[in-house]
Structure formats: structure tokens, C-alpha cells
Amino acid sequence: MEIFKLAGMPVGGTPRISVVVPAKNEAKNLPHVLPHIPAWVDEVILVDGNSTDDTIAVARSLLPDIVVLQQDRRGKGAALRTGFNAAKGDIIITLDADGSADPGEIPAFVGALLAGADFVKGSRFMQGGNTTDMEWYRRLGNWGLLTLVRIRFGGKFTDLCYGYNAFWRDVLPYLNIEDATGFEIETEMNVQALRANLNVFEVASKEFPRIHGVSNLRTIPDGWRVLKTIVRLGVSRPARPAVPERNPTGQHQPSI
């Protein structure tokens, strides 16, 4: 089955794709993000965190068909869950609104899912990836938390706290992310994917500094939340077994 044209566009028979973009006061950054999402993406969902600028108006001017939702609780985790619950696509992709992630990498994530992965995570630290938006102490903290995850849960992740991820919509219950409200959501998704024995694949990704504004990330408080998430998951049991195998169209293979 042919999966991609040369330009990276999925061809007939491929699943529907939803991109979820959490945003709060990102009006100046959205022009650098939304127009660069591939045209073959079926649905773009912007989850607004009670912005006080023109985030919603700018989003609608850039993509008239964009779905705009308001999150009901504070935090990135709550925003993503709002988007996940509303997404209609077979594949869901998370994309930050600050211009730090390149929408042009979306075909790599989709390709890995179509090739057999259940969950695909971007990595800034594998060959081909990079970050110009992380201080040395954040790198050190990421390495320490990643080492802890490897020791407790296994896996061979090269990155842990990164917001560029993609997965089949039907594995969402296996991620069991109801307890995450803030930036720890990415770590929880990654660890839950390991605990559920999902087929996890990493793709190289380049992270850039946000274009405008100041990040909502707080290094010490959010790092502490990530650590508490790892400890909590380390002493609890996975809630669900692994998902069935799929064929290349995203449908589950029949049991034999």
C-alpha cells in the first residue's frame, strides 16, 4: 500500500488526522504555526486557555475551519484532554502554539504510525533532533528524570518532557491521563504508553525558542510535578492491557 506521495501528503485510504493546539495568549505566534500545518490534515483544534489577547480571532482568520474550544480547567494537561475528547480523527497530534515546534515534521509522525507504531514521540536528543530552547539545568533535569523512567519502566527513550507527540485515537484510554493537569502531561503519556506495552516510536524533532512572549513553563515547580508523576506511576499498576495489532489503515487486526 502506498502511504505517501513524494511531497509527504497521505493518499487515499489513510486515516483522518486531528491536530490539537493548546494556546493561551499566542496571537502573535499563531501566524508562524497554523498556516504551516499540512493542508491534508483533516482537523485542527485550538484549545484556548482563557486568552486575553486576540488568539481566537487570529486563529479563525488564519484557518476559517479551525475548531475552537475553551478548556474548563487551568493547565496544559487539561487543555490537551479537552482537545482529545473532541477530536474526530483516527490519529491525534499535539502541537505547541508558540512556534517552538515545526509543523513540517508532522509527516514523520504520521508515517511512523502508519508503519505500525501505536504512539510516536518527538525527540530533541536523538540523531537529527536538536533544541535551542533549553538551558543547561533543564537539560540536566530532563536527563535525570529520563534515567529514572528507564530504571523503573524500561524503554529506550531519548527524550521525556517534550510536547510534540502523535498517537492513534483508540489508544487514548490506555494512556489514562486523567490525573495530569499541567506540563507533566507529556511525561504521563510517555510512561503510560510504556506501562501499557504500546509500540512506541521516537522521531527526531528540532525545537526552537518561542517566537513571541514568555513561556508558562516554571522549571522547578513543573519539574517537581513531573517527578511526582513518575513516582506515582511507579507504585501503581497499569490499568489496561496492550492494544490489538493494526493493519496499515489503522483498523485493528481481527483476532486469530
Side-chain angles (χ1 to χ4, degrees), residues 12 14-15 18 33 42 50 56 59 62 72 74 77 86 94 97-98 108 113-114 119 121 131 164 172 174 198 211:
T14 56
S18 297
V33 178
D42 299 284
N50 299 311
I56 294 178
L62 294 169
D72 55 1
R74 295 179 60 185
T94 62
D98 59 5
L113 289 170
L114 294 177
F119 184 94
K121 55 191 299 299
T131 177
Y164 211 163
L172 189 56
Y174 300 83
L198 300 183
I211 299 174

Side-chain angles (χ1 to χ4, degrees), residues 130-206:
N130 186 33
T131 177
T132 55
D133 189 37
M134 182 177 285
E135 302 86 353
W136 67 268
Y137 51 87
R138 286 180 56 204
R139 288 176 181 265
L140 181 61
N142 184 76
W143 174 83
L145 295 168
L146 179 61
T147 300
L148 183 59
V149 167
R150 285 177 174 175
I151 293 172
R152 178 60 185 87
F153 303 103
K156 298 180 180 179
F157 292 168
T158 61
D159 203 347
L160 183 65
C161 307
Y162 189 40
Y164 211 163
N165 299 292
F167 53 91
W168 292 100
R169 187 174 185 272
D170 60 9
V171 308
L172 189 56
Y174 300 83
L175 300 180
N176 193 24
I177 54 174
E178 294 305 314
D179 293 326
T181 58
F183 284 96
E184 74 277 9
I185 183 71
E186 287 101 6
T187 297
E188 177 133 6
M189 292 171 67
N190 293 336
V191 173
Q192 293 284 33
L194 277 179
R195 280 159 42 99
N197 295 318
L198 300 183
N199 183 13
V200 181
F201 191 83
E202 285 190 315
V203 297
S205 180
K206 294 182 179 180

Side-chain angles (χ1 to χ4, degrees), residues 105-128:
E105 295 176 353
I106 286 177
F109 287 82
V110 174
L113 289 170
L114 294 177
D118 296 313
F119 184 94
V120 180
K121 55 191 299 299
S123 173
R124 299 161 290 184
F125 303 115
M126 65 184 300
Q127 185 174 2

